[in-house]
Amino acid sequence: MTSAPTDTTTTPYVAASSTLALVHYLNRQGVLDRLRVEQLIGLDLTQLEDPDRRVPAEAHYRLWVHAEQVTGDTAVGLNAGQVIDPERMGLVGYVFFNCDTLGEAVTQYVRLHSLINESVNLSFGQTGEQAILTWQADSPEHYSRQDMDRTLAAALCRTRHFICPGIQAEWAEIAHSRPDYANQYEKLLGGPVTFGAPATRLAFNSGFMNHPIAHRNPYVYSAVLRQVNGLLARLQTRRSFGRKIHRLISRQMSTDKIDADTLAKQCHMSRQTLYRRLKREGLGFHELVEQVRKDKALRYVASDHYALGEIAFLLGFSELSAFSRAFKRWTGTAPAQYRARHPSQDADQ
C-alpha cells in the first residue's frame, strides 16, 4: 500500500461575504439551487451572513465551477465582478472606500487581503510611473479562473464607481490561459492584456494613487477598521493554532487515535482547553476533523494515485462502504463518479 503524503499546510479560507455575493448573483440570474449550493460549500446559506464566517477556499472555488455550469457563461467571473452592490462588499470593502486617497485604499487592500482570500497572496509595488498589483495563488489547485476574473473586475469597477471614474489599467497579465471571451478583458480594463503569465498583474499610472476619495466617512472608517483589525488578529491566531491542530489531525488520519484527548496531550493542554482555543477561533473539534477528512478525500479521489479502498484506509474509515457514504454526503456524488468527472490532480500537493 502506498504511504500517505504528509500534509503540512492548513486549509485556506475566503470571506463568507465573497461566497454570499456569488450566491446573490446566481439568485439574480434565476439559477440558484439552494440545496445544491449548500451541498457544495458545506454550509447553510444563512451562515454566510455571519461577518466572522470563513469558507474553505476549495469549496468557494467549487461554487464558481458550478456557477459557470448553471449560467452557461464562461465569463461569469468578469460579469459578476461588474455588479456594484454596496451591501455585498463586506467589512473590508467599507475600509477601502472610506480611506483618504486611492493609494491609502490600495495599502489597506494589500494589508487586509488575507481576510478576503487566504489562498491568494497580494502584493503592491511601484516601478517608475507605474503602480502594480500582483495576485499569486499559493498553489496551482488554489487558482480559480472565475474567481480571478471576478477579483479583477470588482477591483476596477468598484474603484471607478466609488473613487475615480476615469481610471484605466495601463496593461494586465493574466495567469490563466487565453479564454474564449478574451476580448472582454481589454474592454473592461482599458489596456493591453496578455495570458499565461506566472502571476496576475494589473498596472496603473502612479498618479492615480494620489486621487482623493471624495465621499469618505471618517467615522465609518474608524469604526469598521477597528472591527476588521480584530478579525485580522483572530485570523493570525487561528493560523498558528489551527495549523498545528490541522497538521496533527492530518498526520493521524489513518490511525484510530484521532480524538480530542490524544491531541490535547500532544499540545500539553487539557481537552477542555483545546475546545476553548478552537471555539475562540470559531472552530469545533469534530467539525475540524471532518473538514480535514473531506479536503483530503477530494484530493485523493481526484487523483488516480490511490485505489478507493486505499483512500478509505488513509482517511480512517473501517471499510470502503462507509467512506463511499461519507463522500456522497459531502459531494452528492459517489467516489467513482467524482473521479471520472474530474481531471487527475496530484494528491501529494
Side-chain angles (χ1 to χ4, degrees):
M1 180 175 291
T2 309
S3 61
T6 300
D7 190 344
T8 60
T9 61
T10 189
T11 301
Y13 289 82
V14 303
S17 59
S18 297
T19 307
L20 185 60
L22 178 52
V23 169
H24 281 283
Y25 182 80
L26 294 177
N27 191 43
R28 283 193 294 269
Q29 299 303 307
V31 293
L32 177 62
D33 182 340
R34 186 185 184 95
L35 292 178
R36 178 57 178 153
V37 168
E38 290 178 338
Q39 190 176 60
L40 285 168
I41 64 176
L43 292 169
D44 188 283
L45 294 189
T46 59
Q47 294 177 282
L48 299 179
E49 301 282 353
D50 181 353
D52 289 347
R53 174 65 64 176
R54 315 283 291 166
V55 176
E58 291 178 354
H60 180 70
Y61 295 152
R62 285 198 298 272
L63 185 57
W64 270 116
V65 174
H66 171 77
E68 181 171 320
Q69 292 170 347
V70 297
T71 60
D73 179 14
T74 53
V76 62
L78 287 181
N79 292 323
Q82 294 178 63
V83 175
I84 305 296
D85 186 351
E87 295 183 1
R88 306 297 168 199
M89 293 192 303
L91 291 174
V92 176
Y94 285 106
V95 172
F96 300 157
F97 301 114
N98 284 285
C99 291
D100 285 323
T101 65
L102 177 57
E104 182 186 346
V106 169
T107 298
Q108 292 286 15
Y109 183 31
V110 173
R111 185 178 75 88
L112 301 173
H113 190 262
S114 60
L115 289 174
I116 302 171
N117 190 337
E118 290 182 277
S119 73
V120 176
N121 299 309
L122 175 62
S123 59
F124 174 70
Q126 296 194 62
T127 303
E129 296 182 353
Q130 290 186 338
I132 303 172
L133 283 167
T134 302
W135 291 266
Q136 178 75 65
D138 62 10
S139 62
E141 68 267 26
H142 288 155
Y143 187 88
S144 166
R145 171 179 53 81
Q146 301 93 337
D147 191 66
M148 184 55 66
D149 281 352
R150 186 262 177 192
T151 297
L152 291 173
L156 195 55
C157 290
R158 291 179 180 183
T159 299
R160 287 171 178 162
H161 182 83
F162 290 105
I163 303 176
C164 183
I167 192 169
Q168 300 276 351
E170 295 205 341
W171 53 263
E173 295 176 348
I174 312 297
H176 50 260
S177 58
R178 183 181 181 88
D180 58 6
Y181 53 91
N183 63 321
Q184 296 186 36
Y185 289 86
E186 289 192 14
K187 292 179 181 178
L188 174 64
L189 303 178
V193 178
T194 58
F195 296 91
T200 294
R201 302 201 299 163
L202 205 57
F204 301 91
N205 186 294
S206 296
F208 285 117
M209 297 299 101
N210 296 320
H211 191 91
I213 300 179
H215 303 293
R216 70 180 298 269
N217 185 322
Y219 300 102
V220 170
Y221 177 80
S222 179
V224 176
L225 186 61
R226 282 197 299 270
Q227 187 172 355
V228 167
N229 283 338
L231 290 173
L232 187 62
R234 290 199 294 274
L235 172 62
Q236 290 168 342
T237 301
R238 182 190 66 75
R239 277 177 167 175
S240 58
F241 188 68
R243 182 180 293 114
K244 183 175 184 178
I245 299 302
H246 184 285
R247 184 164 56 245
L248 289 173
I249 292 173
S250 184
R251 286 176 176 173
Q252 299 176 28
M253 186 62 72
S254 61
T255 76
D256 59 355
K257 298 179 181 179
I258 302 179
D259 62 81
D261 288 322
T262 299
L263 289 178
K265 289 178 181 178
Q266 293 178 9
C267 295
H268 307 289
M269 61 180 65
S270 68
R271 181 177 60 181
Q272 290 74 20
T273 300
L274 175 67
Y275 285 157
R276 283 197 301 271
R277 290 283 300 273
L278 290 173
K279 186 176 181 180
R280 282 203 299 267
E281 308 308 324
L283 299 170
F285 176 75
H286 296 292
E287 289 79 6
L288 186 57
V289 172
E290 182 84 346
Q291 187 62 58
V292 173
R293 183 172 277 122
K294 178 181 176 181
D295 290 345
K296 291 171 79 72
L298 292 174
R299 291 201 304 274
Y300 290 166
V301 172
S303 169
D304 59 5
H305 195 58
Y306 300 104
L308 295 180
E310 287 184 296
I311 296 173
F313 172 81
L314 292 172
L315 299 183
F317 288 93
S318 58
E319 54 188 22
L320 177 58
S321 60
F323 167 65
S324 297
R325 287 193 298 271
F327 193 89
K328 192 165 186 178
R329 184 179 74 249
W330 293 329
T331 66
T333 305
Q337 293 173 322
Y338 186 91
R339 172 169 282 179
R341 294 175 184 174
H342 289 73
S344 180
Q345 299 175 10
D346 184 1
D348 291 345
Q349 291 178 336

